[in-house]
């Protein structure tokens, strides 16, 4: 238990780990949905503190990783057009499209800008009325309300030169898709805390019941995750499958009503492809008819694009929890943060990047080839 | 990007008919939209994601989280030099016009 000293409260961490060991009498597999939680688990070696057989499966909750290649390619095409200011969060800069990324476009003279908030992009549009300003709106239920508000404002203030390239995804349909997969090994879920800060917990009891799977709403800090694991294991041992909120300081059952109302106004659900996974029915949001004018896909007519995904990259299986990152032959050799084949190697919330950063010396496939180079 | 960071509301104002404010994230102060928490008051703590306050938080939890995020370098990732990070990761020079602190 050498990692325990690194916890903010080592005594409490030790207590929780002890409780998990005392509770688990069988092997159990549970999935943390959120990429932020994956990062914490790998960084702190939480999975290595668990009893033998109790396993964390990393889920598809990295928004950068699951953004479909087709949307990335559309972003790259729009960003290359003269007169366009293309705004994005920083973690999208190096996500590979079919052959290039936003970083490359900026290096070649394109006007790509990093913003902290989508409202910054709207302000740019107000300040540059002769330019088209496009914001790359990706992410889960946590990021969707800010983007919804930005489009609402664009309409309210009558800002015609702003648009949103939108590719939002929703967690509950993804949980459902995972449970329906014939290869599913997941017996319990740690649900993403901040998604539930917005959406509340109302969508989960039906899922927990239908698939007889415990769902524990969990935060992102190491102690939060240990507490979430303990509650999940306790339910599994008792044969229970209910929704529990282990992140009460930030999650209310009703979520954030104002944010939910805005989502309902601005977006409508749609089928969405997830990078590496494929189409999940009703798993996404797009702008509703009333806001179509602010939809970059319509404005720029980039509706059909031929994409070219790496044939070596197995990030789809990583995202579905079917393999661990180092089981992919390209991990740490052909695929590194410097030359990523898939998005899971780019984002700090991606499982491959987390393993590369914190685990590559422990993973035989990568360590044995001498692929661990300096400077990355 | 998935990360939401706790901070303390230090100012509330109205802008274009929208509730906006300034939030202090342990020294870094940012403009934040408060429209989704219509009764949030100055001095209270909130969880902020991409410039939007999404939920209230008690002071003690906020302080503990902020301290942890600082220790882990997560605040730098959220508020820091994104082009610099991308350039370092790519092993390339940063693109022209992206000097840290300049308007990007």
């Amino acid at each position: 238990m050498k990692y325990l000293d690194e916890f903010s409260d080592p005594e409490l961490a030790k207590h929780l780990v002890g409780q998990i060991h005392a509770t688990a009498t069988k092997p159990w597999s549970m999935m943390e949905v959120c990429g932020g939680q994956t990062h914490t688990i790998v960084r702190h070696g939480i999975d290595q503190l668990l009893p033998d057989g109790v396993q964390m499966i990393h889920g598809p909750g990295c928004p950068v990783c699951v953004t479909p290649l087709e949307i990335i390619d559309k972003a790259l095409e729009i960003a290359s057009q003269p007169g366009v200011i293309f705004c994005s969060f920083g973690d999208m800069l190096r996500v590979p499209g079919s052959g290039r990324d936003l970083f490359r476009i900026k290096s070649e003279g394109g006007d790509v800008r990093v913003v902290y908030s989508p409202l910054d992009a709207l302000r740019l549009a107000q300040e540059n009325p002769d330019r088209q300003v496009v914001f790359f709106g990706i992410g889960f239920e946590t990021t969707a309300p800010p983007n919804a508000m930005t489009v609402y404002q664009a309409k309210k203030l009558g800002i015609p030169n702003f648009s949103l390239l939108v590719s939002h995804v929703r967690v509950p349909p993804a949980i459902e898709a995972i449970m329906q997969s014939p290869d599913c090994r997941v017996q319990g879920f740690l649900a993403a805390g901040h998604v539930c800060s917005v959406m509340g917990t109302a969508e989960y009891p039906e899922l927990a019941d239908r698939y007889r799977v415990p769902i524990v709403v969990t935060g992102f800090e190491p102690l939060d995750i240990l507490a979430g694991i303990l509650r999940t294991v306790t339910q599994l041992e008792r044969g229970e499958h209910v929704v529990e909120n282990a992140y009460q300081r930030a999650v209310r059952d009703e979520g954030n009503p104002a944010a939910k109302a805005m989502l309902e106004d601005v977006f409508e659900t749609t089928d969405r492809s997830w990078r590496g996974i494929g189409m999940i029915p009703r798993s996404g949001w797009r702008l509703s008819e009333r806001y179509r004018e602010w939809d970059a896909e319509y404005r720029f007519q980039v509706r059909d694009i031929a994409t070219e995904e790496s044939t070596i990259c197995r990030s789809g299986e990583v995202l579905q929890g079917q393999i661990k990152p180092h089981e992919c032959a390209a991990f740490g050799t052909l695929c590194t943060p410097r030359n990523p084949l898939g998005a899971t190697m780019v984002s700090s919330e991606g499982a491959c990047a987390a393993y590369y950063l914190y685990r590559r010396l422990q993973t035989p496939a990568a360590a044995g080839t001498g692929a661990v180079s300096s400077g990355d | 990007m998935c990360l939401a960071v706790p901070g303390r509301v230090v100012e509330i104002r109205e802008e274009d008919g929208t509730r906006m404010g300034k939030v202090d994230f342990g020294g870094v102060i940012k403009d934040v939209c408060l429209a989704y928490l219509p009764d949030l008051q100055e001095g209270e703590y909130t969880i902020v994601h991409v410039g939007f306050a999404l939920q209230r938080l008690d002071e003690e939890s906020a302080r503990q989280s902020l301290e942890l995020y600082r220790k882990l370098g997560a605040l730098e990732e959220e508020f820091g030099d994104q082009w610099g990070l991308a350039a370092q990761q790519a092993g390339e020079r940063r693109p022209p016009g992206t000097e840290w602190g300049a308007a990007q």
Side-chain angles (χ1 to χ4, degrees), chain A residues 69 76 156 175 247 262 334:
Chain A
L69 182 59
L76 298 173
K156 188 177 88 175
I175 288 185
Y247 193 36
M262 182 65 79
L334 290 171

Side-chain angles (χ1 to χ4, degrees), chain A residues 91 104 113 145 153 221 348, chain B residues 1 18 36 65 77 92 104:
Chain A
D91 45 13
R104 172 79 37 232
R113 305 198 195 184
Q153 291 273 67
E221 295 168 29
S348 67
Chain B
M1 189 191 90
T18 304
Y36 289 139
S65 303
E77 195 174 307
E92 291 182 28
Q104 292 169 22

Side-chain angles (χ1 to χ4, degrees), chain B residues 52-94:
Chain B
F52 282 71
L54 293 179
Q55 200 54 269
R56 274 197 170 76
L57 201 63
D58 65 273
E59 178 171 354
E60 182 53 28
S61 315
R63 281 182 193 282
Q64 283 180 8
S65 303
L66 258 180
E67 183 48 38
L68 180 71
Y69 287 179
R70 196 196 337 260
K71 234 192 274 176
L72 298 178
L75 292 181
E76 194 179 329
E77 195 174 307
E78 187 76 2
F79 303 125
D81 174 11
Q82 305 279 345
W83 283 110
L85 282 173
Q88 192 183 15
Q89 203 185 42
E92 291 182 28
R93 257 190 291 214
R94 58 191 312 148

Side-chain angles (χ1 to χ4, degrees), chain B residues 5-77:
Chain B
V5 183
R8 180 171 171 269
V9 180
V10 293
E11 181 196 302
I12 295 177
R13 64 177 194 277
E14 187 100 335
E15 200 177 293
D16 293 332
T18 304
R19 215 171 124 84
M20 297 289 295
K22 288 197 187 297
V23 172
D24 181 352
F25 303 95
V28 181
I29 292 177
K30 289 270 178 196
D31 274 326
V32 166
C33 178
L34 306 177
Y36 289 139
L37 292 175
D39 49 0
L40 189 72
Q41 303 294 318
E42 243 177 66
E44 283 193 285
Y45 286 80
T46 172
I47 296 177
V48 176
H49 179 58
V50 299
F52 282 71
L54 293 179
Q55 200 54 269
R56 274 197 170 76
L57 201 63
D58 65 273
E59 178 171 354
E60 182 53 28
S61 315
R63 281 182 193 282
Q64 283 180 8
S65 303
L66 258 180
E67 183 48 38
L68 180 71
Y69 287 179
R70 196 196 337 260
K71 234 192 274 176
L72 298 178
L75 292 181
E76 194 179 329
E77 195 174 307

Side-chain angles (χ1 to χ4, degrees), chain A residues 42-358:
Chain A
V42 178
R43 175 180 188 130
H44 291 271
I46 287 174
D47 48 339
Q48 298 174 344
L49 297 170
L50 300 179
D52 284 345
V54 174
Q55 207 196 147
M56 299 309 297
I57 300 175
H58 310 310
C62 162
V64 173
C65 304
V66 299
T67 301
L69 182 59
E70 195 192 359
I71 290 279
I72 305 283
D73 282 345
K74 286 178 182 178
L76 298 173
E77 187 177 311
I78 294 170
S80 311
Q81 293 191 12
V84 167
I85 299 176
F86 193 87
C87 299
S88 168
F89 297 131
D91 45 13
M92 296 304 287
L93 295 177
R94 299 210 59 246
V95 178
S98 303
R100 51 188 186 155
D101 58 24
L102 287 170
F103 186 88
R104 172 79 37 232
I105 286 175
K106 178 77 167 182
S107 298
E108 289 167 0
D111 198 346
V112 178
R113 305 198 195 184
V114 172
V115 292
Y116 163 64
S117 160
L119 288 177
D120 296 341
L122 189 63
R123 194 169 313 118
L124 272 171
Q126 286 173 294
E127 290 164 3
N128 297 275
D130 55 330
R131 309 275 301 273
Q132 283 291 328
V133 175
V134 183
F135 181 71
F136 201 176
I138 69 140
F140 284 88
E141 291 96 325
T142 329
T143 326
N147 293 342
M149 173 70 81
T150 305
V151 174
Y152 171 84
Q153 291 273 67
K155 182 173 181 172
K156 188 177 88 175
L157 302 173
I159 302 174
N161 59 324
F162 174 84
S163 57
L164 187 71
L165 179 61
V166 55
S167 182
H168 283 301
V169 276
R170 302 166 56 229
V171 168
I175 288 185
E176 184 142 27
I178 286 162
M179 290 314 294
Q180 284 174 351
S181 157
D183 304 324
C184 177
R185 296 180 294 135
V186 181
Q187 294 166 296
F189 284 97
L190 307 188
H194 290 151
V195 164
C196 297
S197 291
V198 170
M199 300 304 288
T201 54
E203 292 177 283
Y204 294 114
E206 198 200 327
L207 287 174
D209 205 44
R210 191 177 330 142
Y211 297 102
R212 307 185 65 79
V213 66
I215 300 178
V216 178
V217 177
T218 305
F220 302 86
E221 295 168 29
L223 292 172
D224 289 329
I225 289 171
L226 285 175
I229 292 170
L230 175 58
R231 294 229 208 165
T232 309
V233 169
T234 303
Q235 279 202 45
L236 287 167
E237 288 283 339
R238 290 179 183 161
E240 294 172 353
H241 46 84
V242 295
V243 177
E244 276 188 81
N245 181 1
Y247 193 36
Q248 287 192 354
R249 63 186 195 272
V251 173
R252 278 142 232 251
D253 286 347
E254 72 276 17
N256 182 320
K260 285 202 286 190
M262 182 65 79
L263 288 172
E264 197 143 307
D265 177 37
V266 175
F267 292 132
E268 61 192 21
T269 50
T270 181
D271 298 343
R272 185 69 78 191
S273 275
W274 295 48
R275 190 169 193 171
I277 296 177
M279 206 275 284
I280 303 179
R282 304 189 62 73
S283 67
W285 274 312
R286 65 175 174 204
L287 288 167
S288 62
E289 194 65 45
R290 290 188 297 287
Y291 295 91
R292 192 82 5 118
E293 260 181 77
W294 285 271
D295 187 331
E297 281 192 70
Y298 283 83
R299 186 168 297 184
F300 292 89
Q301 294 293 312
V302 282
R303 292 164 83 174
D304 292 302
I305 278 190
T307 57
E308 198 183 327
E309 189 72 89
S310 159
T311 51
I312 314 163
C313 172
R314 297 177 71 188
S315 61
E317 290 161 85
V318 173
L319 285 167
Q320 292 171 84
Q322 289 163 5
I323 62 166
K324 297 276 186 195
H326 55 84
E327 293 174 71
C328 171
F331 176 82
T333 54
L334 290 171
C335 181
T336 63
R338 185 169 286 192
N339 292 302
L341 294 182
T344 44
M345 186 56 96
V346 176
S347 163
S348 67
E349 289 152 25
C352 295
Y355 272 66
Y356 189 86
L357 204 53
Y358 302 117

